[in-house]
Amino acid sequence: MLWIPLDNLRKALRVEIREDDAELARLVQAAQAYVERRTGVTIGTATKHQYLSAFRDCVIEGFPFGAITSIQYYKAGVLTTLPATDYDIRYVDGPLAMLKFDTTETADEDTVDITYTCGFGNQVPKDLLHAGVSLVAHWYNNVEATAPVDLRPVPYTTGVILDMHRVRSDLR
């Protein structure tokens, strides 16, 4: 499912034909990748993995954080799941989630696999949606890197909105 519905996008771009839907969908996916890379947020919902060499407190890399699905590790070559009572999620400073371990367990080296969910789901902030529409409109209307007309950079407001949503914290 696209994070920017094609009907909304066609209306914003004043595109009445459906012949360009495949191209618009591709541009929406490219805009999602661009927004996620530039801001550190996750559009939609994703299941991610983070790997540790040992049980040490760490920042969860996905934002906005959803929930821990499991923490698995190898101990003496046997795959084991850490009980939920042996860790906690805290928000120390800023928006990022900190995973704090409260366990005396030890894992074989480099085998701790944290599986978690993150993302906005279908609750993407309206200003991020606007930035996405702006990016798609810019790319749709400026297909070539060079053209006989004067091309303009990505709209200034798009950059401002994305900078406001950039994930920052003293921890990162």
Side-chain angles (χ1 to χ4, degrees):
M1 186 169 118
L2 296 174
W3 68 297
I4 304 171
L6 285 181
D7 288 339
N8 296 8
L9 190 58
R10 267 192 247 98
K11 185 176 178 182
L13 297 178
R14 294 179 173 85
V15 173
E16 295 178 8
I17 59 172
R18 295 186 179 269
E19 292 171 359
D20 284 353
D21 279 2
E23 178 63 10
L24 289 173
R26 185 189 67 76
L27 292 172
V28 167
Q29 292 169 339
Q32 178 175 340
Y34 180 85
V35 167
E36 289 179 341
R37 271 193 318 275
R38 180 155 175 184
T39 63
V41 303
T42 301
I43 304 293
T45 304
T47 297
K48 294 188 176 185
H49 293 268
Q50 192 165 327
Y51 301 97
L52 302 175
S53 58
F55 292 113
R56 57 177 164 61
D57 298 348
C58 65
V59 173
I60 298 294
E61 296 170 357
F63 179 83
F65 174 74
I68 298 282
T69 305
S70 70
I71 299 177
Q72 296 185 315
Y73 60 100
Y74 281 94
K75 183 171 182 162
V78 177
L79 183 62
T80 307
T81 300
L82 188 69
T85 55
D86 288 355
Y87 61 87
D88 190 23
I89 295 294
R90 299 185 189 143
Y91 294 89
V92 180
D93 183 34
L96 298 176
M98 172 71 92
L99 176 59
K100 306 280 265 173
F101 288 101
D102 184 25
T103 183
T104 56
E105 282 292 322
T106 56
D108 296 349
E109 189 174 334
D110 297 328
T111 65
V112 179
D113 175 7
I114 304 161
T115 306
Y116 61 95
T117 59
C118 63
F120 286 114
N122 56 5
Q123 301 296 317
V124 178
K126 292 189 184 329
D127 57 344
L128 272 181
L129 283 170
H130 176 74
V133 169
S134 179
L135 277 170
V136 171
H138 175 74
W139 293 335
Y140 183 75
N141 291 316
N142 295 285
V143 179
E144 300 287 333
T146 60
V149 296
D150 181 32
L151 295 180
R152 302 188 187 283
V154 173
Y156 174 74
T157 54
T158 302
V160 170
I161 291 168
L162 296 180
D163 288 344
M164 288 186 331
H165 283 275
R166 183 170 285 148
V167 178
R168 300 189 254 325
S169 167
D170 289 342
L171 300 171
R172 185 175 187 194

